[in-house]
Amino acid sequence: MTGYDLIDEVVVDAPPEAVWEALLAEFRGARAWWAPDNTFSPVSGSPDEVGGEVRVTVHTRGADKGGPKLRFTARTTAVEPARRLSVEYVDGVFRGTSDFLLDPLDAGRRTRIGMHFAGRPAGWLKVLAKVADIGAQHSRSTSDAFVRLGRVLERRPAPEAAR
């Protein structure tokens, strides 16, 4: 059986609290930096509360460009604000877990954001996984999204400048 155990991470020039808020906003449907690859929509509860569920859609050709879409539901299993968000994939084309980890760097001025995805394809994706490198595509999409996150946060004014 095909399974994945992937870790993707990027250093972002922003404090962990800003990265955390951007991550939660994306899971609430913001489409600010994970699109065009992935979009998110809340199903129940809040993504930063244990038991909250978010519907994830992976757009294989980009959002609103057609092509196959991979859909699955993530249920929050653990929350440490500005440090860790853990989810379990409970429905759709993946089963498994992901941990989003935020590590402060440089006295909190920068953040290493990482995603540890441990899962396996389910349903029709099991067939596709035999001929497509889903793991490589996942890592490329995640890394690209984290780079876009960094760019989005770089454009935001620093808290001192906003006063």
Side-chain angles (χ1 to χ4, degrees):
M1 174 184 288
T2 301
Y4 309 101
D5 190 2
L6 308 169
I7 297 174
D8 299 292
E9 56 186 29
V10 169
V11 174
V12 176
D13 288 325
E17 295 77 14
V19 175
W20 178 256
E21 289 305 318
L23 179 64
L24 293 179
E26 204 70 5
F27 286 174
R28 290 180 177 125
R31 296 180 84 160
W33 52 271
W34 211 303
D37 301 314
N38 294 4
T39 55
F40 304 85
S41 57
V43 174
S44 65
S46 179
D48 61 337
E49 296 175 354
V50 171
E53 292 187 351
V54 172
R55 184 78 165 164
V56 182
T57 302
V58 176
H59 303 268
T60 59
R61 293 189 184 155
D64 305 321
K65 296 202 188 238
K69 299 196 181 349
L70 311 179
R71 292 185 172 92
F72 50 99
T73 302
R75 179 179 299 141
T76 301
T77 58
V79 178
E80 294 175 44
R83 297 285 299 163
R84 177 174 71 111
L85 179 70
S86 298
V87 300
E88 177 181 14
Y89 301 117
V90 297
D91 184 39
V93 297
F94 284 111
R95 296 296 185 278
T97 61
S98 282
D99 294 300
F100 294 88
L101 304 169
L102 284 63
D103 295 314
L105 304 171
D106 301 329
R109 290 185 299 276
R110 299 170 63 210
T111 305
R112 178 183 305 112
I113 179 171
M115 178 183 184
H116 180 195
F117 170 71
R120 64 189 190 289
W124 66 269
L125 190 59
K126 287 194 284 189
V127 175
L128 182 60
K130 292 178 182 180
V131 296
D133 191 345
I134 304 293
Q137 292 172 0
H138 179 280
S139 286
R140 184 175 53 251
S141 169
T142 300
S143 294
D144 289 350
F146 288 167
V147 168
R148 286 191 299 271
L149 166 63
R151 290 183 190 135
V152 165
L153 292 176
E154 285 174 7
R155 290 191 297 261
R156 291 186 183 173
E160 298 81 5
R163 290 184 195 166

